mmCIF file of all heavy atoms in Angstrom:
data_model
loop_
_atom_site.group_PDB
_atom_site.id
_atom_site.type_symbol
_atom_site.label_atom_id
_atom_site.label_comp_id
_atom_site.label_asym_id
_atom_site.label_seq_id
_atom_site.Cartn_x
_atom_site.Cartn_y
_atom_site.Cartn_z
ATOM 1 N N ALA A 1003 106.325 69.136 97.579
ATOM 2 C CA ALA A 1003 107.585 69.769 97.204
ATOM 3 C C ALA A 1003 107.787 69.811 95.696
ATOM 4 O O ALA A 1003 108.779 70.377 95.228
ATOM 5 C CB ALA A 1003 108.749 69.027 97.856
ATOM 6 N N ALA A 1004 106.869 69.223 94.960
ATOM 7 C CA ALA A 1004 107.021 69.153 93.509
ATOM 8 C C ALA A 1004 106.970 70.548 92.901
ATOM 9 O O ALA A 1004 106.190 71.400 93.333
ATOM 10 C CB ALA A 1004 105.919 68.290 92.908
ATOM 11 N N PRO A 1005 107.817 70.815 91.898
ATOM 12 C CA PRO A 1005 107.789 72.143 91.251
ATOM 13 C C PRO A 1005 106.469 72.357 90.547
ATOM 14 O O PRO A 1005 105.915 71.447 89.929
ATOM 15 C CB PRO A 1005 108.955 72.071 90.252
ATOM 16 C CG PRO A 1005 109.162 70.613 90.004
ATOM 17 C CD PRO A 1005 108.812 69.922 91.285
ATOM 18 N N LYS A 1006 105.942 73.569 90.691
ATOM 19 C CA LYS A 1006 104.657 73.903 90.076
ATOM 20 C C LYS A 1006 104.915 74.659 88.782
ATOM 21 O O LYS A 1006 105.623 75.661 88.779
ATOM 22 C CB LYS A 1006 103.803 74.763 91.018
ATOM 23 C CG LYS A 1006 103.606 74.139 92.398
ATOM 24 C CD LYS A 1006 102.829 72.845 92.330
ATOM 25 C CE LYS A 1006 102.444 72.360 93.726
ATOM 26 N NZ LYS A 1006 103.578 72.045 94.593
ATOM 27 N N GLU A 1007 104.346 74.167 87.707
ATOM 28 C CA GLU A 1007 104.515 74.837 86.430
ATOM 29 C C GLU A 1007 103.687 76.115 86.414
ATOM 30 O O GLU A 1007 102.523 76.131 86.791
ATOM 31 C CB GLU A 1007 104.073 73.922 85.285
ATOM 32 C CG GLU A 1007 104.245 74.555 83.912
ATOM 33 C CD GLU A 1007 103.868 73.609 82.781
ATOM 34 O OE1 GLU A 1007 103.595 72.429 83.060
ATOM 35 O OE2 GLU A 1007 103.831 74.062 81.630
ATOM 36 N N ARG A 1008 104.305 77.177 85.969
ATOM 37 C CA ARG A 1008 103.614 78.463 85.908
ATOM 38 C C ARG A 1008 103.749 78.998 84.487
ATOM 39 O O ARG A 1008 104.800 79.455 84.074
ATOM 40 C CB ARG A 1008 104.228 79.459 86.890
ATOM 41 C CG ARG A 1008 103.508 80.790 86.915
ATOM 42 C CD ARG A 1008 104.116 81.748 87.906
ATOM 43 N NE ARG A 1008 104.013 81.267 89.261
ATOM 44 C CZ ARG A 1008 104.356 81.994 90.322
ATOM 45 N NH1 ARG A 1008 104.785 83.211 90.163
ATOM 46 N NH2 ARG A 1008 104.276 81.486 91.526
ATOM 47 N N SER A 1009 102.688 78.889 83.749
ATOM 48 C CA SER A 1009 102.751 79.269 82.345
ATOM 49 C C SER A 1009 102.547 80.758 82.138
ATOM 50 O O SER A 1009 102.935 81.313 81.134
ATOM 51 C CB SER A 1009 101.680 78.504 81.545
ATOM 52 O OG SER A 1009 100.389 78.757 82.080
ATOM 53 N N SER A 1010 101.919 81.430 83.100
ATOM 54 C CA SER A 1010 101.656 82.851 82.932
ATOM 55 C C SER A 1010 101.518 83.519 84.282
ATOM 56 O O SER A 1010 101.051 82.923 85.247
ATOM 57 C CB SER A 1010 100.348 83.047 82.145
ATOM 58 O OG SER A 1010 99.978 84.400 82.123
ATOM 59 N N PHE A 1011 101.945 84.783 84.368
ATOM 60 C CA PHE A 1011 101.798 85.569 85.586
ATOM 61 C C PHE A 1011 100.575 86.468 85.517
ATOM 62 O O PHE A 1011 100.366 87.293 86.377
ATOM 63 C CB PHE A 1011 103.043 86.442 85.780
ATOM 64 C CG PHE A 1011 104.175 85.737 86.473
ATOM 65 C CD1 PHE A 1011 105.048 84.945 85.751
ATOM 66 C CD2 PHE A 1011 104.352 85.850 87.829
ATOM 67 C CE1 PHE A 1011 106.103 84.311 86.383
ATOM 68 C CE2 PHE A 1011 105.408 85.213 88.472
ATOM 69 C CZ PHE A 1011 106.282 84.437 87.741
ATOM 70 N N SER A 1012 99.742 86.290 84.493
ATOM 71 C CA SER A 1012 98.662 87.245 84.267
ATOM 72 C C SER A 1012 97.688 87.324 85.435
ATOM 73 O O SER A 1012 97.100 88.362 85.679
ATOM 74 C CB SER A 1012 97.918 86.888 82.981
ATOM 75 O OG SER A 1012 97.370 85.588 83.087
ATOM 76 N N ASP A 1013 97.487 86.222 86.185
ATOM 77 C CA ASP A 1013 96.560 86.231 87.308
ATOM 78 C C ASP A 1013 97.274 86.028 88.638
ATOM 79 O O ASP A 1013 96.654 85.730 89.641
ATOM 80 C CB ASP A 1013 95.486 85.157 87.115
ATOM 81 C CG ASP A 1013 94.578 85.460 85.933
ATOM 82 O OD1 ASP A 1013 94.217 86.632 85.765
ATOM 83 O OD2 ASP A 1013 94.256 84.540 85.174
ATOM 84 N N ASP A 1014 98.599 86.134 88.644
ATOM 85 C CA ASP A 1014 99.389 85.959 89.848
ATOM 86 C C ASP A 1014 100.222 87.222 90.041
ATOM 87 O O ASP A 1014 100.214 88.110 89.198
ATOM 88 C CB ASP A 1014 100.290 84.729 89.683
ATOM 89 C CG ASP A 1014 100.761 84.197 91.022
ATOM 90 O OD1 ASP A 1014 100.501 84.834 92.070
ATOM 91 O OD2 ASP A 1014 101.396 83.143 91.020
ATOM 92 N N PHE A 1015 100.941 87.301 91.171
ATOM 93 C CA PHE A 1015 101.786 88.467 91.378
ATOM 94 C C PHE A 1015 103.132 88.241 90.709
ATOM 95 O O PHE A 1015 103.867 87.318 91.066
ATOM 96 C CB PHE A 1015 101.955 88.755 92.866
ATOM 97 C CG PHE A 1015 100.711 89.309 93.491
ATOM 98 C CD1 PHE A 1015 99.976 88.550 94.376
ATOM 99 C CD2 PHE A 1015 100.285 90.580 93.170
ATOM 100 C CE1 PHE A 1015 98.821 89.058 94.945
ATOM 101 C CE2 PHE A 1015 99.131 91.100 93.735
ATOM 102 C CZ PHE A 1015 98.390 90.339 94.620
ATOM 103 N N ALA A 1016 103.439 89.085 89.753
ATOM 104 C CA ALA A 1016 104.683 88.959 89.005
ATOM 105 C C ALA A 1016 105.867 89.491 89.800
ATOM 106 O O ALA A 1016 107.007 89.096 89.553
ATOM 107 C CB ALA A 1016 104.577 89.706 87.680
ATOM 108 N N GLY A 1017 105.618 90.395 90.736
ATOM 109 C CA GLY A 1017 106.712 90.954 91.515
ATOM 110 C C GLY A 1017 106.240 92.043 92.448
ATOM 111 O O GLY A 1017 105.039 92.317 92.555
ATOM 112 N N ARG A 1018 107.188 92.662 93.129
ATOM 113 C CA ARG A 1018 106.878 93.716 94.085
ATOM 114 C C ARG A 1018 107.698 94.962 93.797
ATOM 115 O O ARG A 1018 108.883 94.876 93.426
ATOM 116 C CB ARG A 1018 107.180 93.254 95.521
ATOM 117 C CG ARG A 1018 106.262 92.173 96.036
ATOM 118 C CD ARG A 1018 106.543 91.889 97.500
ATOM 119 N NE ARG A 1018 106.336 93.061 98.338
ATOM 120 C CZ ARG A 1018 106.520 93.069 99.664
ATOM 121 N NH1 ARG A 1018 106.917 91.973 100.284
ATOM 122 N NH2 ARG A 1018 106.301 94.171 100.354
ATOM 123 N N PHE A 1019 107.079 96.104 93.974
ATOM 124 C CA PHE A 1019 107.777 97.389 93.902
ATOM 125 C C PHE A 1019 108.142 97.792 95.327
ATOM 126 O O PHE A 1019 107.310 97.718 96.239
ATOM 127 C CB PHE A 1019 106.897 98.452 93.254
ATOM 128 C CG PHE A 1019 106.978 98.477 91.757
ATOM 129 C CD1 PHE A 1019 106.556 97.395 91.008
ATOM 130 C CD2 PHE A 1019 107.500 99.580 91.096
ATOM 131 C CE1 PHE A 1019 106.637 97.403 89.615
ATOM 132 C CE2 PHE A 1019 107.595 99.605 89.705
ATOM 133 C CZ PHE A 1019 107.167 98.515 88.969
ATOM 134 N N ARG A 1020 109.389 98.206 95.502
ATOM 135 C CA ARG A 1020 109.878 98.543 96.834
ATOM 136 C C ARG A 1020 110.589 99.897 96.792
ATOM 137 O O ARG A 1020 111.292 100.204 95.823
ATOM 138 C CB ARG A 1020 110.853 97.467 97.341
ATOM 139 C CG ARG A 1020 110.255 96.049 97.367
ATOM 140 C CD ARG A 1020 111.334 95.027 97.675
ATOM 141 N NE ARG A 1020 110.866 93.668 97.598
ATOM 142 C CZ ARG A 1020 110.439 92.936 98.632
ATOM 143 N NH1 ARG A 1020 110.424 93.490 99.844
ATOM 144 N NH2 ARG A 1020 110.040 91.698 98.479
ATOM 145 N N SER A 1021 110.428 100.675 97.853
ATOM 146 C CA SER A 1021 111.051 102.005 97.913
ATOM 147 C C SER A 1021 112.260 102.024 98.831
ATOM 148 O O SER A 1021 112.778 103.094 99.155
ATOM 149 C CB SER A 1021 110.028 103.042 98.382
ATOM 150 O OG SER A 1021 109.500 102.675 99.652
ATOM 151 N N GLY A 1022 112.733 100.854 99.249
ATOM 152 C CA GLY A 1022 113.885 100.784 100.121
ATOM 153 C C GLY A 1022 114.540 99.417 100.080
ATOM 154 O O GLY A 1022 114.088 98.510 99.379
ATOM 155 N N ARG A 1023 115.600 99.282 100.845
ATOM 156 C CA ARG A 1023 116.303 98.005 100.955
ATOM 157 C C ARG A 1023 117.123 98.011 102.234
ATOM 158 O O ARG A 1023 117.271 99.059 102.893
ATOM 159 C CB ARG A 1023 117.221 97.782 99.752
ATOM 160 C CG ARG A 1023 118.328 98.831 99.610
ATOM 161 C CD ARG A 1023 119.247 98.504 98.453
ATOM 162 N NE ARG A 1023 120.243 99.569 98.254
ATOM 163 C CZ ARG A 1023 121.224 99.499 97.374
ATOM 164 N NH1 ARG A 1023 121.355 98.421 96.602
ATOM 165 N NH2 ARG A 1023 122.078 100.500 97.243
ATOM 166 N N LEU A 1024 117.673 96.855 102.601
ATOM 167 C CA LEU A 1024 118.557 96.744 103.747
ATOM 168 C C LEU A 1024 119.995 96.703 103.259
ATOM 169 O O LEU A 1024 120.331 95.965 102.332
ATOM 170 C CB LEU A 1024 118.248 95.479 104.558
ATOM 171 C CG LEU A 1024 116.900 95.446 105.284
ATOM 172 C CD1 LEU A 1024 116.708 94.091 105.949
ATOM 173 C CD2 LEU A 1024 116.802 96.559 106.314
ATOM 174 N N VAL A 1025 120.858 97.503 103.872
ATOM 175 C CA VAL A 1025 122.282 97.515 103.533
ATOM 176 C C VAL A 1025 123.090 97.292 104.811
ATOM 177 O O VAL A 1025 122.659 97.676 105.904
ATOM 178 C CB VAL A 1025 122.688 98.850 102.870
ATOM 179 C CG1 VAL A 1025 122.011 99.006 101.527
ATOM 180 C CG2 VAL A 1025 122.362 100.031 103.773
ATOM 181 N N LYS A 1026 124.248 96.661 104.664
ATOM 182 C CA LYS A 1026 125.097 96.399 105.815
ATOM 183 C C LYS A 1026 126.014 97.590 106.079
ATOM 184 O O LYS A 1026 126.760 98.007 105.207
ATOM 185 C CB LYS A 1026 125.916 95.138 105.581
ATOM 186 C CG LYS A 1026 125.111 93.847 105.713
ATOM 187 C CD LYS A 1026 126.003 92.628 105.674
ATOM 188 C CE LYS A 1026 125.169 91.352 105.892
ATOM 189 N NZ LYS A 1026 126.022 90.139 105.880
ATOM 190 N N ILE A 1027 125.909 98.126 107.292
ATOM 191 C CA ILE A 1027 126.755 99.236 107.724
ATOM 192 C C ILE A 1027 127.381 98.841 109.060
ATOM 193 O O ILE A 1027 126.670 98.635 110.050
ATOM 194 C CB ILE A 1027 125.950 100.543 107.874
ATOM 195 C CG1 ILE A 1027 125.292 100.922 106.539
ATOM 196 C CG2 ILE A 1027 126.847 101.667 108.380
ATOM 197 C CD1 ILE A 1027 124.424 102.158 106.618
ATOM 198 N N GLY A 1028 128.703 98.714 109.070
ATOM 199 C CA GLY A 1028 129.371 98.301 110.299
ATOM 200 C C GLY A 1028 128.976 96.918 110.755
ATOM 201 O O GLY A 1028 128.904 96.652 111.959
ATOM 202 N N GLY A 1029 128.666 96.050 109.799
ATOM 203 C CA GLY A 1029 128.300 94.678 110.129
ATOM 204 C C GLY A 1029 126.844 94.484 110.471
ATOM 205 O O GLY A 1029 126.406 93.354 110.697
ATOM 206 N N LYS A 1030 126.074 95.581 110.511
ATOM 207 C CA LYS A 1030 124.657 95.493 110.838
ATOM 208 C C LYS A 1030 123.826 95.954 109.648
ATOM 209 O O LYS A 1030 124.225 96.847 108.904
ATOM 210 C CB LYS A 1030 124.322 96.341 112.068
ATOM 211 C CG LYS A 1030 124.970 95.866 113.347
ATOM 212 C CD LYS A 1030 124.531 96.718 114.531
ATOM 213 C CE LYS A 1030 125.139 96.234 115.830
ATOM 214 N NZ LYS A 1030 124.697 97.067 116.990
ATOM 215 N N GLU A 1031 122.668 95.332 109.477
ATOM 216 C CA GLU A 1031 121.771 95.730 108.390
ATOM 217 C C GLU A 1031 120.947 96.937 108.794
ATOM 218 O O GLU A 1031 120.327 96.946 109.862
ATOM 219 C CB GLU A 1031 120.844 94.563 108.005
ATOM 220 C CG GLU A 1031 121.557 93.433 107.275
ATOM 221 C CD GLU A 1031 120.586 92.427 106.703
ATOM 222 O OE1 GLU A 1031 119.482 92.281 107.270
ATOM 223 O OE2 GLU A 1031 120.929 91.773 105.694
ATOM 224 N N GLN A 1032 120.969 97.943 107.942
ATOM 225 C CA GLN A 1032 120.230 99.176 108.191
ATOM 226 C C GLN A 1032 119.325 99.466 106.997
ATOM 227 O O GLN A 1032 119.695 99.217 105.851
ATOM 228 C CB GLN A 1032 121.195 100.350 108.391
ATOM 229 C CG GLN A 1032 122.176 100.181 109.533
ATOM 230 C CD GLN A 1032 121.506 100.296 110.890
ATOM 231 O OE1 GLN A 1032 120.410 100.838 111.012
ATOM 232 N NE2 GLN A 1032 122.170 99.793 111.909
ATOM 233 N N PRO A 1033 118.107 99.980 107.251
ATOM 234 C CA PRO A 1033 117.224 100.319 106.130
ATOM 235 C C PRO A 1033 117.742 101.523 105.361
ATOM 236 O O PRO A 1033 118.252 102.481 105.952
ATOM 237 C CB PRO A 1033 115.889 100.621 106.819
ATOM 238 C CG PRO A 1033 116.256 101.024 108.209
ATOM 239 C CD PRO A 1033 117.479 100.236 108.560
ATOM 240 N N GLU A 1034 117.627 101.467 104.043
ATOM 241 C CA GLU A 1034 118.027 102.562 103.180
ATOM 242 C C GLU A 1034 116.853 102.951 102.290
ATOM 243 O O GLU A 1034 116.269 102.103 101.621
ATOM 244 C CB GLU A 1034 119.217 102.165 102.306
ATOM 245 C CG GLU A 1034 119.654 103.263 101.349
ATOM 246 C CD GLU A 1034 120.719 102.800 100.368
ATOM 247 O OE1 GLU A 1034 120.602 101.670 99.843
ATOM 248 O OE2 GLU A 1034 121.658 103.568 100.114
ATOM 249 N N SER A 1035 116.516 104.232 102.312
ATOM 250 C CA SER A 1035 115.456 104.745 101.446
ATOM 251 C C SER A 1035 116.032 104.995 100.065
ATOM 252 O O SER A 1035 117.126 105.540 99.922
ATOM 253 C CB SER A 1035 114.880 106.031 102.033
ATOM 254 O OG SER A 1035 113.874 106.563 101.207
ATOM 255 N N LEU A 1036 115.295 104.604 99.030
ATOM 256 C CA LEU A 1036 115.763 104.745 97.658
ATOM 257 C C LEU A 1036 115.050 105.884 96.950
ATOM 258 O O LEU A 1036 113.891 106.196 97.249
ATOM 259 C CB LEU A 1036 115.525 103.444 96.889
ATOM 260 C CG LEU A 1036 116.262 102.209 97.415
ATOM 261 C CD1 LEU A 1036 115.812 100.968 96.656
ATOM 262 C CD2 LEU A 1036 117.770 102.389 97.307
ATOM 263 N N ASN A 1037 115.745 106.494 95.998
ATOM 264 C CA ASN A 1037 115.169 107.582 95.214
ATOM 265 C C ASN A 1037 114.468 107.091 93.957
ATOM 266 O O ASN A 1037 113.695 107.834 93.350
ATOM 267 C CB ASN A 1037 116.259 108.583 94.820
ATOM 268 C CG ASN A 1037 116.879 109.283 96.014
ATOM 269 O OD1 ASN A 1037 116.169 109.658 96.951
ATOM 270 N ND2 ASN A 1037 118.186 109.453 95.995
ATOM 271 N N GLU A 1038 114.765 105.858 93.555
ATOM 272 C CA GLU A 1038 114.106 105.251 92.397
ATOM 273 C C GLU A 1038 113.576 103.882 92.809
ATOM 274 O O GLU A 1038 114.060 103.274 93.763
ATOM 275 C CB GLU A 1038 115.079 105.091 91.211
ATOM 276 C CG GLU A 1038 115.503 106.401 90.561
ATOM 277 C CD GLU A 1038 116.668 107.051 91.296
ATOM 278 O OE1 GLU A 1038 117.438 106.308 91.946
ATOM 279 O OE2 GLU A 1038 116.797 108.295 91.236
ATOM 280 N N TRP A 1039 112.624 103.395 92.052
ATOM 281 C CA TRP A 1039 111.957 102.152 92.416
ATOM 282 C C TRP A 1039 112.882 100.945 92.300
ATOM 283 O O TRP A 1039 113.673 100.827 91.366
ATOM 284 C CB TRP A 1039 110.718 101.925 91.551
ATOM 285 C CG TRP A 1039 109.604 102.851 91.893
ATOM 286 C CD1 TRP A 1039 109.136 103.892 91.149
ATOM 287 C CD2 TRP A 1039 108.819 102.826 93.095
ATOM 288 N NE1 TRP A 1039 108.119 104.525 91.817
ATOM 289 C CE2 TRP A 1039 107.897 103.898 93.009
ATOM 290 C CE3 TRP A 1039 108.810 102.025 94.227
ATOM 291 C CZ2 TRP A 1039 106.979 104.171 94.014
ATOM 292 C CZ3 TRP A 1039 107.895 102.302 95.239
ATOM 293 C CH2 TRP A 1039 106.997 103.359 95.129
ATOM 294 N N ARG A 1040 112.752 100.079 93.260
ATOM 295 C CA ARG A 1040 113.403 98.767 93.245
ATOM 296 C C ARG A 1040 112.310 97.732 93.036
ATOM 297 O O ARG A 1040 111.279 97.755 93.710
ATOM 298 C CB ARG A 1040 114.123 98.536 94.566
ATOM 299 C CG ARG A 1040 114.622 97.118 94.788
ATOM 300 C CD ARG A 1040 115.372 97.033 96.112
ATOM 301 N NE ARG A 1040 115.694 95.667 96.469
ATOM 302 C CZ ARG A 1040 115.247 95.037 97.553
ATOM 303 N NH1 ARG A 1040 114.441 95.669 98.404
ATOM 304 N NH2 ARG A 1040 115.577 93.789 97.802
ATOM 305 N N VAL A 1041 112.525 96.820 92.091
ATOM 306 C CA VAL A 1041 111.529 95.798 91.779
ATOM 307 C C VAL A 1041 112.136 94.423 92.026
ATOM 308 O O VAL A 1041 113.268 94.159 91.607
ATOM 309 C CB VAL A 1041 111.044 95.908 90.323
ATOM 310 C CG1 VAL A 1041 109.954 94.866 90.040
ATOM 311 C CG2 VAL A 1041 110.522 97.307 90.031
ATOM 312 N N THR A 1042 111.400 93.555 92.712
ATOM 313 C CA THR A 1042 111.861 92.187 92.930
ATOM 314 C C THR A 1042 110.875 91.211 92.314
ATOM 315 O O THR A 1042 109.665 91.437 92.309
ATOM 316 C CB THR A 1042 112.023 91.876 94.424
ATOM 317 O OG1 THR A 1042 110.755 92.017 95.091
ATOM 318 C CG2 THR A 1042 113.026 92.818 95.071
ATOM 319 N N THR A 1043 111.412 90.115 91.800
ATOM 320 C CA THR A 1043 110.593 89.101 91.147
ATOM 321 C C THR A 1043 111.353 87.784 91.141
ATOM 322 O O THR A 1043 112.572 87.758 91.332
ATOM 323 C CB THR A 1043 110.243 89.511 89.701
ATOM 324 O OG1 THR A 1043 109.452 88.475 89.085
ATOM 325 C CG2 THR A 1043 111.500 89.718 88.870
ATOM 326 N N GLY A 1044 110.642 86.706 90.908
ATOM 327 C CA GLY A 1044 111.288 85.403 90.775
ATOM 328 C C GLY A 1044 111.328 84.917 89.351
ATOM 329 O O GLY A 1044 111.830 83.821 89.082
ATOM 330 N N ASP A 1045 110.834 85.725 88.433
ATOM 331 C CA ASP A 1045 110.743 85.324 87.035
ATOM 332 C C ASP A 1045 111.756 86.103 86.202
ATOM 333 O O ASP A 1045 111.661 87.328 86.099
ATOM 334 C CB ASP A 1045 109.326 85.582 86.521
ATOM 335 C CG ASP A 1045 109.101 85.003 85.142
ATOM 336 O OD1 ASP A 1045 109.911 85.261 84.247
ATOM 337 O OD2 ASP A 1045 108.097 84.296 84.950
ATOM 338 N N PRO A 1046 112.723 85.430 85.579
ATOM 339 C CA PRO A 1046 113.730 86.122 84.770
ATOM 340 C C PRO A 1046 113.132 86.913 83.610
ATOM 341 O O PRO A 1046 113.656 87.968 83.244
ATOM 342 C CB PRO A 1046 114.619 84.978 84.250
ATOM 343 C CG PRO A 1046 114.409 83.854 85.220
ATOM 344 C CD PRO A 1046 112.982 83.978 85.666
ATOM 345 N N THR A 1047 112.031 86.402 83.021
ATOM 346 C CA THR A 1047 111.394 87.118 81.919
ATOM 347 C C THR A 1047 110.813 88.442 82.391
ATOM 348 O O THR A 1047 110.947 89.480 81.733
ATOM 349 C CB THR A 1047 110.288 86.256 81.289
ATOM 350 O OG1 THR A 1047 110.844 85.019 80.829
ATOM 351 C CG2 THR A 1047 109.630 86.971 80.126
ATOM 352 N N VAL A 1048 110.164 88.423 83.563
ATOM 353 C CA VAL A 1048 109.610 89.645 84.144
ATOM 354 C C VAL A 1048 110.734 90.615 84.487
ATOM 355 O O VAL A 1048 110.643 91.817 84.214
ATOM 356 C CB VAL A 1048 108.772 89.322 85.398
ATOM 357 C CG1 VAL A 1048 108.356 90.602 86.111
ATOM 358 C CG2 VAL A 1048 107.547 88.503 85.026
ATOM 359 N N ALA A 1049 111.791 90.101 85.075
ATOM 360 C CA ALA A 1049 112.918 90.944 85.455
ATOM 361 C C ALA A 1049 113.516 91.638 84.239
ATOM 362 O O ALA A 1049 113.821 92.843 84.273
ATOM 363 C CB ALA A 1049 113.982 90.106 86.161
ATOM 364 N N ALA A 1050 113.684 90.901 83.154
ATOM 365 C CA ALA A 1050 114.264 91.476 81.937
ATOM 366 C C ALA A 1050 113.367 92.571 81.363
ATOM 367 O O ALA A 1050 113.852 93.615 80.899
ATOM 368 C CB ALA A 1050 114.495 90.377 80.901
#
């Protein structure tokens, strides 16, 4: 469970490009297609 130090993302996956997302409609999650890229990451530097 120890935190792993990650000094660089150069050889790891920095994030994912996604063309959709889930949105809540009437209390249920429904897939939504996006017109522009959505990017997800766990690194604030990459996100910025």
Side-chain angles (χ1 to χ4, degrees):
K1006 306 296 189 297
E1007 181 177 353
R1008 183 179 297 187
S1009 57
S1010 172
F1011 275 84
S1012 60
D1013 294 319
D1014 200 354
F1015 288 110
R1018 292 186 60 180
F1019 274 64
R1020 303 171 185 265
S1021 58
R1023 62 177 175 175
L1024 292 176
V1025 294
K1026 285 188 177 181
I1027 301 177
K1030 295 183 178 180
E1031 289 190 332
Q1032 301 288 341
E1034 178 187 42
S1035 179
L1036 298 174
N1037 296 319
E1038 290 84 26
W1039 288 109
R1040 169 178 171 242
V1041 183
T1042 61
T1043 179
D1045 188 309
T1047 302
V1048 172

